[in-house]
Each structure stands twice: as C-alpha cells, then as structure tokens.
Amino acid sequence: METNKKLIGHDDLLYQLIELHKKNILPKKILFTGNKGIGKFNLVNHFINFIFSQNEEFKYDLKNLIINNNNRSFQLFKKNIHPNIFLIKKNKDKKYIDISQIRDMINFQNRSSFNNNMKFVIIENVSDLNL
C-alpha cells in the first residue's frame, strides 16, 4: 500500500475533519468521491494517522502535513495489519471486490476496537463493488 507522506492539495479538508474529530462530531460514515488519482486515499491516510498518532511517540506533523515514517500506526497500516483499520480493495486476479472481503469487514466491525480507539473501514475503490 503506497501513500504520500506529505499531503498536497487537501489541507483545508484535513483541517475540517480534524476539527470535527476534536469536537466529537465526526460523522460515522464519510464518502469521498472524485476522479482517480486526486488524493482521496492519501487524505484518508493522513487523517487516520493524525488520529492514531496522538498517543504515540512519532506524532503526525500537523504544521507541515507530513506522516512520520517512524510512526507505529503508520507502519502497521502500511503493512495492512493495524488492528483498528480494515482496508478493502479489489484483488488483482478479480473483477470485483469479493463477497468474502465484505463478510470479513462485517466481522471486523462486530469486534471491539483495540485500546478503545476508533475503527476505520476503507474501501479503496467503491466502483469495484458489485451488486
């Protein structure tokens, strides 16, 4: 999973999401839409890293909008093993996201979160879902 450690072009949206989070009024579900390659996935990575890194040694650099490469949550997310983040993306050999991935996501949602932190489900490309 590749992410740009510097956020470019979505500063205002990131600050708005952070304010909603700080005020404890962040919506339960957020849908980002737009053309492929404009940075939606990168924005989500930065926002999630901001949230999880607050209680970690290498915090998110909010002034420069940079993810610290040594951040524990970033390393776990990069390896797709973060206990509070579930990533769904189409497998390379499939035409659509597999129903078993959705079942796994439902199981993830039904489990309690690690350290009572927020849980996130990210569907990398919603258009890869089928009916």
Side-chain angles (χ1 to χ4, degrees):
M1 157 182 5
E2 189 60 36
T3 188
N4 192 340
K5 292 180 194 70
K6 168 86 173 128
L7 184 65
I8 300 170
H10 295 296
D11 311 23
D12 291 339
L13 187 51
L14 178 65
Y15 292 133
Q16 289 174 20
L17 290 169
I18 289 170
E19 275 305 306
L20 292 173
H21 172 68
K22 286 180 178 179
K23 293 177 181 176
N24 206 24
I25 56 173
L26 186 68
K28 297 273 186 216
K29 295 167 184 68
I30 301 173
L31 178 65
F32 294 105
T33 63
N35 294 333
K36 188 173 180 94
I38 63 170
K40 300 177 298 289
F41 187 70
N42 196 36
L43 170 65
V44 169
N45 288 334
H46 281 256
F47 178 57
I48 290 173
N49 186 259
F50 169 80
I51 290 173
F52 287 132
S53 72
Q54 294 307 296
N55 297 322
E56 296 178 2
E57 184 178 357
F58 301 102
K59 291 185 176 17
Y60 182 80
D61 182 353
L62 193 55
K63 181 180 177 191
N64 297 306
L65 303 176
I66 296 174
I67 295 174
N68 187 317
N69 197 42
N70 296 318
N71 174 262
R72 184 174 181 273
S73 286
F74 175 69
Q75 291 299 319
L76 292 172
F77 181 54
K78 196 164 99 171
K79 295 173 185 170
N80 200 19
I81 57 172
H82 195 289
N84 289 336
I85 302 172
F86 190 86
L87 175 65
I88 299 175
K89 63 181 180 179
K90 179 181 71 146
N91 294 325
K92 292 181 196 277
D93 61 332
K94 300 285 185 171
K95 186 175 180 182
Y96 297 107
I97 291 173
D98 197 57
I99 188 67
S100 64
Q101 293 172 276
I102 303 303
R103 289 185 183 118
D104 291 343
M105 182 266 304
I106 292 169
N107 288 333
F108 169 80
Q109 285 298 96
N110 288 331
R111 290 189 306 245
S112 56
S113 69
F114 183 72
N115 288 341
N116 290 325
N117 285 332
M118 297 175 74
K119 290 171 67 173
F120 291 89
V121 172
I122 303 167
I123 302 175
E124 190 171 327
N125 195 351
V126 175
S127 63
D128 288 335
L129 291 170
N130 68 15
L131 296 178

